[in-house]
Amino acid sequence: MTGPRDPETPLPDADLPARIDPRRSACVLIGVDDYTVLDPLRSVGHNLVELRAALTDDEIWGIPQDRIFTVPNPTAPSDLVGPIREAGLLADDTLIVYYAGHGLLDRHEGQQLLLTLPGSVEDQPDTCVRSRDVRRAIRDTGPARRRVLILDCCFSGQVLTEMAGADRGEQGGSVAVKTLREVEGSYVMTSAPKDRPSHAPDPKSCTVFTGALVDVLRQGLPDGPEMLGLHTLFEAVKARIAAMKPEMPQEPQDEDRNGVGGLDFVRNVAVLPPLTPPPDPATRLRHSRTRTLLWSLSAAAAGLTLGLAGPWAVDQWQAAHPAPATGACGGHPADAEAPRAVLLDHSDALDKRNVDYEEVKGLSALALVSEGPEGVEALALTDNDPALLFPLSLGTPSDLRPVADTAHALRRANGVQFTEWYDGEGLVIERGGRTALIASETGPALRRFDIASGKQIGPDLPVPKDLRYWPDGSAQTGRSIESLALSPNGRHLYAGWEAPLAKDGDQRGRPMIRIQRYTGEPGGAYTPDAQYAYLAGDGMNLVELVALDDEGGLLALEREYTAGLGTAVRVVQLSLAGARDVSGVDSLYDLPAADFADDTPVLDLAACPDGGPGVVATPGSNSRNPLLDNAEGMAVGKEWTSGEYKGWRPLYLISDDNGSGDQITRLYSLAVRLKP
């Protein structure tokens, strides 16, 4: 703990800034909540969301979005340590590293603290990350003048003993942080002593330690100074936890070298006036009608030649929502240019509505019709009976105000309604905007329709035999064609199967998905010519595709539902350029990894916070994050050409409520940045 200064410890240099500068610092937030052997720690997911939101809030600290990295559930030591090194190269002032998850002790090597990964096993140190490796990454990387380590895990205080182990006769913070290199200052904060656990009693909220830290950051100290240092925060957190009187005591620890804990860090919001005035009542009322949430993600776009081509949307969005009002939620954690996506808005205005006595429900696909300064027009496909196409006015990316118009029913060429349940899942609008290609899981089938009349045009497109249902093929019943994408030039049509064929299976929980490519001409016949495979995320299904270019670049929307946990939604960027044509491969089970499509994570919707600028009025189907629901439709607009998000593209997601009172029809808008 900090106390009287050791006379041998030098005072901070006179030219050091009096505050830890967020604009020249970098922060890595690492959290593990999803374990395969150890008990899950669902509170950790809330830790990452809430702590990031607090640190990026201009009213508190205001670190820029591109200087804070969130690393959820790193699966390998390099996935945990790598982002620390990346952030270290970015930080000139201070590098802050935070970890939350299970902490274990290696009792065979001097009680070494082990930070766990999703696959970690107790008494198997090789499945964990040694704390000394994390300290080495912090110590050896980059020009930062100060290093800060915050650990929220059981036995976390053991790290202080390890760092002082070189000379057990020495005392004080200067010894405890020796292994953080002879930098100008270091600070360590832990959630518990070396022999005590940390507590996470409520899976729906933060852990005890991080929850107290976030509370102090957000509420401030009424009797405190205008600026709060790390040690002042620590003392307040410690007092809050003691006041809770937990059944098993939890006493945080800290160590300080060269006065880092005393430097100004965050604004004391309890005594300082807000930086920006609250919005006027008229603005609040306008936004309360359709806005409901927050946060950031990453990806990019393509698809239509219609688009958000001008600066109007960016300028309009920036005027209403400065960058610090949102946060990063996705992309590769080691990406130094993260975030790759930002959640601009979401709206539940379509939920449980009806138009001309037809319910707006079961929306499973989305396609953009036009984009302009006044708003975005789209079509949404239902998977109900009868199959319907709803024209939608979405509003703008920064201010969603979705309104549905009278639906068009899909019919056969003679005008007769389809007798079987159509189960429409995939939708693309062809060049000229008069016809659409639509996929049905019933069959499965691919058909062309006249949008104005809803009538089928021409025969069904061929579906390869092995992609059909038994006895012709091995597609899983009700889990066949779920997505369609059309290349910008209209030459290639991509149909994605929702789940693996029975003969393909999965690779250690990652489904092996087939994507059928068709080649043809806009408005003409399309012929199957190649199949590609990619590994979806653990337990995830493919529910939508968007073609980004004419060379096999795709955006894939994955979704999964788990009872008790709710819905998971993520977007990945695929490249088929180097993938093998697997149309002649009987089973993908033993296919070499190099034969699959390259995939790059773009966003994880579960990483978005459930608070911030706006509130989720109605919780979705994810018990951990009320923002999430059953996203099935995805569309991407054209690249912005100016403004802060120049080079990014608008991304829209829509959820399928399945006609259920327990789910929501929810529209999301995001700004996304894709790989070139």
Side-chain angles (χ1 to χ4, degrees):
M1 307 298 176
T2 56
R5 186 179 65 85
D6 187 333
E8 295 184 2
T9 300
L11 289 168
D13 293 348
D15 62 343
L16 283 180
R19 185 191 180 194
I20 297 176
D21 185 355
R23 297 164 300 177
R24 298 174 55 242
S25 299
C27 183
V28 184
L29 306 179
I30 305 164
V32 181
D33 68 343
D34 190 11
Y35 291 90
T36 56
V37 177
L38 302 174
D39 292 336
L41 276 177
R42 300 308 180 194
S43 293
V44 170
H46 299 290
N47 287 3
L48 297 183
V49 167
E50 297 295 340
L51 188 55
R52 179 177 186 123
L55 294 177
T56 56
D57 190 337
D58 267 354
E59 299 288 342
I60 300 173
W61 190 36
I63 186 170
Q65 300 292 347
D66 58 357
R67 287 181 169 269
I68 184 167
F69 305 87
T70 303
V71 187
N73 294 309
T75 57
S78 60
D79 296 333
L80 188 152
V81 177
I84 297 175
R85 297 190 182 278
E86 293 284 346
L89 297 174
L90 192 64
D92 296 319
D93 186 295
T94 303
L95 172 63
I96 299 177
V97 176
Y98 165 93
Y99 170 87
H102 281 301
L104 301 175
L105 292 177
D106 181 359
R107 306 182 190 281
H108 303 290
E109 289 195 15
Q111 300 286 83
Q112 174 84 198
L113 177 65
L114 304 174
L115 307 184
T116 56
L117 303 169
S120 292
V121 179
E122 196 165 5
D123 293 327
Q124 294 184 19
D126 55 302
T127 64
C128 306
V129 177
R130 298 182 186 278
S131 60
R132 67 188 181 201
D133 295 330
V134 172
R135 299 199 313 274
R136 185 177 296 117
I138 298 172
R139 178 193 70 196
D140 292 343
T141 307
R145 307 173 83 170
R146 294 175 282 259
R147 322 281 167 134
V148 175
L149 175 62
I150 302 174
L151 297 177
D152 185 358
C153 61
C154 294
F155 319 121
S156 51
Q158 176 64 25
V159 73
L160 303 178
T161 302
E162 293 170 18
M163 292 190 293
D167 186 347
R168 296 183 183 275
E170 295 186 61
Q171 300 294 324
S174 61
V175 176
V177 294
K178 268 187 176 178
T179 55
L180 288 183
R181 198 167 95 185
E182 292 303 318
V183 293
E184 290 167 345
S186 302
Y187 181 85
V188 181
M189 187 188 304
T190 70
S191 62
K194 64 180 181 179
D195 56 353
R196 294 292 179 89
S198 292
H199 302 307
D202 185 359
K204 295 182 180 180
S205 61
C206 294
T207 60
V208 168
F209 171 78
T210 301
L213 176 59
V214 169
D215 285 347
V216 175
L217 289 170
R218 289 205 171 280
Q219 299 170 17
L221 301 178
D223 299 324
E226 292 185 349
M227 299 295 293
L228 304 177
L230 284 161
H231 183 67
T232 302
L233 288 173
F234 166 78
E235 292 288 1
V237 168
K238 185 177 176 181
R240 278 177 178 260
I241 294 176
M244 296 177 189
K245 298 181 179 179
E247 186 174 342
M248 295 183 64
Q250 178 175 334
E251 184 176 356
Q253 313 283 300
D254 84 332
E255 295 280 7
D256 184 8
R257 176 174 185 263
N258 211 11
V260 174
L263 290 176
D264 288 346
F265 176 37
V266 296
R267 300 176 76 249
N268 185 357
V269 297
V271 300
L272 288 174
L275 294 173
T276 55
D280 61 73
T283 301
R284 263 198 316 269
L285 177 61
R286 178 171 63 85
H287 283 284
S288 68
R289 293 172 182 161
T290 56
R291 296 187 58 82
T292 42
L293 211 125
L294 78 137
W295 231 54
S296 82
L297 298 129
S298 90
L304 298 174
T305 56
L306 319 150
L308 225 51
W312 61 271
V314 172
D315 296 340
Q316 184 184 48
W317 181 82
Q318 289 177 5
H321 306 284
T326 56
C329 64
H332 197 285
D335 187 349
E337 296 182 288
R340 293 188 62 202
V342 174
L343 180 59
L344 304 179
D345 197 9
H346 84 268
S347 173
D348 297 342
L350 295 174
D351 189 48
K352 308 303 180 284
R353 303 292 182 181
N354 69 77
V355 179
D356 294 334
Y357 306 104
E358 288 181 319
E359 293 181 89
V360 181
K361 63 180 182 180
L363 303 186
S364 60
L366 186 69
L368 302 187
V369 174
S370 66
E371 303 167 88
E374 300 305 316
V376 179
E377 303 295 322
L379 285 177
L381 173 69
T382 72
D383 59 5
N384 305 314
D385 186 18
L388 300 174
L389 276 177
F390 275 103
L392 301 178
S393 295
L394 304 184
T396 65
S398 61
D399 190 10
L400 293 175
R401 296 170 177 266
V403 177
D405 204 345
T406 304
H408 305 283
L410 299 184
R411 304 178 183 275
R412 297 190 183 277
N414 60 6
V416 176
Q417 187 173 308
F418 288 92
T419 55
E420 69 278 12
W421 181 35
Y422 194 81
D423 200 5
E425 299 290 355
L427 166 69
V428 293
I429 299 174
E430 295 191 279
R431 187 176 299 173
R434 296 181 179 178
T435 59
L437 295 168
I438 294 177
S440 166
E441 280 197 310
T442 300
L446 281 168
R447 301 180 176 98
R448 176 178 283 114
F449 291 88
D450 176 75
I451 294 175
S453 67
K455 293 182 180 179
Q456 182 175 348
I457 301 173
D460 292 6
L461 275 62
V463 175
K465 185 175 181 180
D466 65 330
L467 299 180
R468 302 175 194 167
Y469 296 129
W470 184 89
D472 296 326
S474 62
Q476 298 185 43
T477 302
R479 302 178 77 187
S480 61
I481 307 177
E482 185 78 14
S483 54
L484 279 183
L486 192 62
S487 63
N489 63 9
R491 179 164 175 75
H492 294 302
L493 176 69
Y494 300 91
W497 264 242
E498 178 181 6
L501 302 182
K503 63 182 182 180
D504 291 336
D506 60 70
Q507 184 70 267
R508 297 185 178 181
R510 297 186 64 185
M512 292 184 281
I513 303 293
R514 294 200 186 220
I515 297 173
Q516 176 66 55
R517 189 182 74 178
Y518 291 76
T519 297
E521 297 296 333
Y526 282 92
T527 303
D529 71 340
Q531 273 181 33
Y532 300 97
Y534 95 98
L535 287 171
D538 290 346
M540 305 290 275
N541 294 313
L542 174 64
V543 295
E544 193 57 278
L545 289 171
V546 169
L548 301 176
D549 53 43
D550 298 325
E551 287 75 44
L554 300 171
L555 208 59
L557 174 63
E558 299 178 355
R559 181 221 55 211
E560 173 213 14
Y561 177 79
T562 303
L565 296 179
T567 302
V569 177
R570 76 172 199 150
V571 174
V572 298
Q573 186 174 348
L574 305 179
S575 174
L576 306 182
R580 175 184 176 184
D581 178 1
V582 297
S583 53
V585 177
D586 182 60
S587 174
L588 304 178
Y589 187 75
D590 292 323
L591 204 65
D595 290 349
F596 288 85
D598 290 335
D599 62 281
T600 302
V602 169
L603 67 89
D604 182 349
L605 205 55
C608 294
D610 56 3
V615 180
V616 177
T618 308
S621 58
N622 186 307
S623 58
R624 297 166 54 195
N625 188 331
L627 174 67
L628 270 72
D629 215 290
N630 183 38
E632 285 201 8
M634 177 172 66
V636 183
K638 291 192 70 175
E639 185 177 296
W640 281 306
T641 58
S642 66
E644 183 176 358
Y645 288 95
K646 180 180 179 180
W648 294 43
R649 301 169 102 169
L651 171 71
Y652 303 89
L653 302 176
I654 198 163
S655 65
D656 177 1
D657 71 344
N658 289 309
S660 166
D662 297 327
Q663 292 179 286
I664 298 169
T665 299
R666 176 167 286 167
L667 179 68
Y668 308 81
S669 60
L670 308 107
V672 296
R673 174 174 59 88
L674 296 180
K675 291 176 60 177

